[in-house]
Amino acid sequence: MKRTRMIMVKHAICIVLSLPLLVLGCQRPDETTPNEKNRLISLSPETKTGSMFYMVSEVGHDGSKCPGCVFEAGQLVHVDCQGDGSQCNITASVTLQQVGSAITATTTDTFGLTSLDFFYMPARSLSTGEGGDNAYLNIPAQLVERDTATLQFTFTGLFYTGKPAYNNF
């Protein structure tokens, strides 16, 4: 009886000591880092020369606190899921082009970002998942208009850095 009680006490102690590890081990990792929420994923990972990517980012802010941040028809208005903030998740397939030192990204999915004819992209640093000098593709804040012929958006002034150039939120 004494031996059984001692075994039960040992098991209880092991469970009590292991409980914090179990709880911490089951929690999801912190997902607030720019590397995880703002990223550029290669659609052709087997070939490092591919220029097709999937862009993932958080944008937008609460409209009740925004007097307007985009001019539309001569008036300053708020547009959901555009501009500074992290209220909405956006995704778009893009192709990257580099001519000399100028890098651009053009959407390949017509309505991935918005069905509107413009998109206000906040400044974002997208993690490429790579190390070294080209770990982040940085997109300066810009209002892009949909091309009337192709219906795509083109972001300009992009550049690579080893660390994020923008705070992202």
Side-chain angles (χ1 to χ4, degrees):
M1 185 74 163
K2 223 178 197 186
R3 182 181 164 115
T4 304
R5 180 171 271 184
M6 187 175 291
I7 291 173
M8 288 176 54
V9 168
K10 285 182 182 180
H11 282 140
I13 290 171
C14 286
I15 290 171
V16 168
L17 292 176
S18 299
L19 191 57
L21 295 175
L22 290 172
V23 171
L24 291 174
C26 292
Q27 290 179 344
R28 296 179 68 160
D30 180 22
E31 295 180 343
T32 61
T33 61
N35 297 0
E36 294 174 2
K37 293 194 174 193
N38 298 286
R39 57 194 187 278
L40 189 69
I41 303 163
S42 176
L43 293 179
S44 52
E46 65 282 351
T47 62
K48 293 293 181 181
T49 59
S51 65
M52 297 287 297
F53 294 89
Y54 195 60
M55 179 175 75
V56 179
S57 189
E58 289 186 330
V59 301
H61 50 274
D62 185 358
S64 66
K65 299 176 183 173
C66 174
C69 43
V70 176
F71 273 104
E72 186 177 28
Q75 291 188 333
L76 197 57
V77 297
H78 169 79
V79 180
D80 289 335
C81 298
Q82 294 194 24
D84 292 329
S86 60
Q87 189 168 3
C88 303
N89 293 313
I90 61 157
T91 57
S93 296
V94 297
T95 57
L96 295 182
Q97 298 91 22
Q98 182 167 357
V99 177
S101 61
I103 302 172
T104 60
T106 302
T107 60
T108 59
D109 52 350
T110 305
F111 299 108
L113 293 177
T114 182
S115 60
L116 299 173
D117 288 335
F118 62 89
F119 184 76
Y120 176 35
M121 180 69 184
R124 287 290 180 262
S125 293
L126 308 177
S127 172
T128 64
E130 304 285 327
D133 294 336
N134 298 326
Y136 293 88
L137 177 65
N138 302 287
I139 305 173
Q142 54 194 285
L143 180 64
V144 290
E145 293 185 21
R146 190 181 298 278
D147 182 277
T148 56
T150 65
L151 301 179
Q152 306 306 315
F153 294 108
T154 298
F155 301 98
T156 60
L158 284 61
F159 59 99
Y160 284 101
T161 56
K163 294 181 181 178
Y166 304 113
N167 191 14
N168 287 339
F169 302 120

